[in-house]
Amino acid sequence: MGFKYLNKEQDIFDGDDGEDVYANEEQLQARLEYFEDQLAGLSEGAPIEERITSLLEIGRIQVERYKGADAWEKAFTAFNLAQQDELWELAVEACDVMFLSEGPDALVALGHALWLGVTFPIDPEITVAMLQHLVEESPEEADTRAVAAAAAHYITSVRCGADDELTFFTSQMLASVADKHSHITDQSTFDLWRKTLKLDEPEVFLKKLSGAVDQLVDDKWWIDRDKIKAKLDNET
């Protein structure tokens, strides 16, 4: 079962012939011009969310058009605007666009998306999508895949509840990871696998996830994590 929060539409290059590809490119160009006009038409006093949203839409379209450099530029601008106003969900979406642009620092962007998506109680569907990126980027036998899937299931359990469809999805994602990681095919061996890797202990697997994020970012942080943590501590 696949899951993509920010890319739910059919791939634009799934057409059967060249005419379909050409038609889709025309549609993308029309969408691009629409959002560029929207962005250009914003007044100085317009809500910052509108500017960020337009930038992200342009970035996503450029990802679809394989214009990675332009997608990165728009998304990074959106990220900076979002973090200035502490719009963390939009900041994560901007990181997702940067990751999908496949730029030189795409994994750095993914690391930021993961840290922010886990730290802040944003839409859990977005957080799960970022964790799924980490699953897909990691070798099948790597413990990082298991840690990411366990974190996704834990987050949906906390933010959505045990009976939510997203929680069911993350349970299936964890089962799939277990199968590919250690050829787990039944409940008893799954329970043993989960206990052996301490995937039933959030304080353990979340710390491992933090280590994986640090490896992705490699000290290229665009945010002040200590300042954010201090503010969150004061608020609680």
Side-chain angles (χ1 to χ4, degrees):
M1 180 178 179
F3 178 82
K4 296 291 182 184
Y5 173 75
L6 298 174
N7 188 24
K8 293 180 179 177
E9 297 179 352
Q10 183 180 9
D11 192 287
I12 63 167
F13 292 105
D14 279 350
D16 293 330
D17 54 40
E19 290 184 3
D20 289 334
V21 173
Y22 181 76
N24 284 323
E25 174 59 26
E26 281 191 327
Q27 293 170 6
L28 289 172
Q29 184 62 38
R31 285 170 51 204
L32 178 63
E33 291 173 0
Y34 171 80
F35 285 108
E36 286 179 337
D37 288 344
Q38 290 282 99
L39 183 61
L42 291 175
S43 65
E44 290 187 8
I48 195 64
E49 291 92 338
E50 292 184 13
R51 189 173 302 278
I52 294 170
T53 299
S54 293
L55 286 165
L56 291 178
E57 290 298 336
I58 293 170
R60 291 180 184 124
I61 292 166
Q62 296 295 48
V63 166
E64 291 186 77
R65 298 178 70 230
Y66 298 97
K67 304 288 185 181
D70 189 65
W72 178 279
E73 178 190 358
K74 296 298 187 294
F76 193 72
T77 299
F79 175 83
N80 284 329
L81 291 172
Q83 76 155 317
Q84 287 170 16
D85 277 39
E86 299 184 351
L87 302 170
W88 300 119
E89 187 167 305
L90 288 172
V92 173
E93 291 192 37
C95 289
D96 182 65
V97 175
M98 284 187 275
F99 170 71
L100 295 174
S101 77
E102 300 183 345
D105 283 336
L107 293 180
V108 176
L110 177 58
H112 281 76
L114 290 165
W115 193 87
L116 292 170
V118 172
T119 299
F120 291 97
I122 67 170
D123 184 341
E125 199 172 342
I126 299 177
T127 301
V128 170
M130 299 307 103
L131 287 162
Q132 190 176 8
H133 285 325
L134 182 57
V135 169
E136 293 168 351
E137 287 294 312
S138 304
E140 290 187 353
E141 69 279 3
D143 287 355
T144 300
R145 286 173 61 94
V147 166
H153 186 56
Y154 171 73
I155 286 169
T156 58
S157 299
V158 171
R159 297 184 191 175
C160 306
D163 297 328
D164 190 84
E165 289 184 3
L166 189 59
T167 304
F168 174 74
F169 165 76
T170 56
S171 70
Q172 295 299 105
M173 183 169 79
L174 184 57
S176 176
V177 167
D179 181 30
K180 293 179 181 178
H181 181 278
S182 298
H183 307 292
I184 304 299
T185 57
D186 60 78
Q187 187 65 47
S188 60
T189 52
F190 173 80
D191 291 340
L192 178 60
W193 172 81
R194 189 167 177 238
K195 188 174 182 63
T196 300
L197 292 181
K198 298 187 176 181
L199 300 179
D200 55 345
E201 300 179 35
E203 66 277 9
V204 174
F205 64 72
L206 289 177
K207 185 175 181 180
K208 290 181 179 179
L209 177 63
S210 178
V213 168
D214 284 337
Q215 286 188 327
L216 289 172
V217 177
D218 193 26
D219 289 329
K220 295 180 181 179
W221 287 102
W222 306 325
I223 57 175
D224 188 334
R225 290 185 298 167
D226 291 335
K227 182 178 179 180
I228 291 172
K229 289 176 182 177
K231 185 172 182 177
L232 288 173
D233 288 341
N234 290 333
E235 290 176 352
T236 56

